[in-house]
Amino acid sequence: QVQLVESGGGLVQAGGSLRLSCAASGYTNCISAMIWYRQSPGKDRDLVAAITSGGSTYYADSMKGRFTISRDNAKNTVYLQMASLKPEDTAVYYCYAGGCPEDNWGQGTQVTVSS
């Protein structure tokens, strides 16, 4: 089992920045990719960005140029640097460990962007 703990969310004004962290522990050897999702009230959980164990990255179109995903393999931690935040970025942000036999989700961290 993999445990994921997100942190770094909060309230920020539009145009501001936040950095989210997701620390993985437990049986992390199975993880092939770490993925950030977000979910707003009444909406589906959408993929934000992903990074593979080899360092390849993927971003949803609306995040390109504003968000940066990175990882520190020594710390088993993945980061999501978010800049130029917009009110529509308001959501609960979750990290997910891909490649493992079971679904592994963090508890989520709330990001609220005020206009």
Side-chain angles (χ1 to χ4, degrees):
Q1 193 81 17
V2 175
Q3 293 79 45
L4 301 170
V5 178
E6 300 102 331
S7 61
L11 174 64
V12 64
Q13 289 187 332
S17 300
L18 279 176
R19 189 178 82 154
L20 307 182
S21 300
C22 174
S25 60
Y27 186 66
T28 59
N29 287 344
C30 63
I31 300 174
S32 59
M34 293 290 287
I35 308 166
W36 284 99
Y37 288 83
R38 70 184 186 185
Q39 187 168 24
S40 302
K43 295 187 177 181
D44 293 335
R45 190 169 294 188
D46 295 326
L47 190 149
V48 174
I51 186 166
T52 69
S53 56
S56 297
T57 58
Y58 168 84
Y59 299 92
D61 286 344
S62 61
M63 287 64 164
K64 289 179 181 177
R66 299 191 301 124
F67 292 8
T68 304
I69 190 170
S70 61
R71 65 190 297 165
D72 184 334
N73 290 331
K75 296 181 178 180
N76 284 325
T77 300
V78 63
Y79 305 97
L80 186 68
Q81 180 69 49
M82 305 185 293
S84 302
L85 284 164
K86 307 173 182 178
E88 51 264 42
D89 293 318
T90 295
V92 178
Y93 285 70
Y94 299 90
C95 68
Y96 178 83
C100 298
E102 67 286 339
D103 284 339
N104 296 289
W105 291 94
Q107 81 288 353
T109 185
Q110 176 71 48
V111 172
T112 302
V113 184
S114 62
S115 56

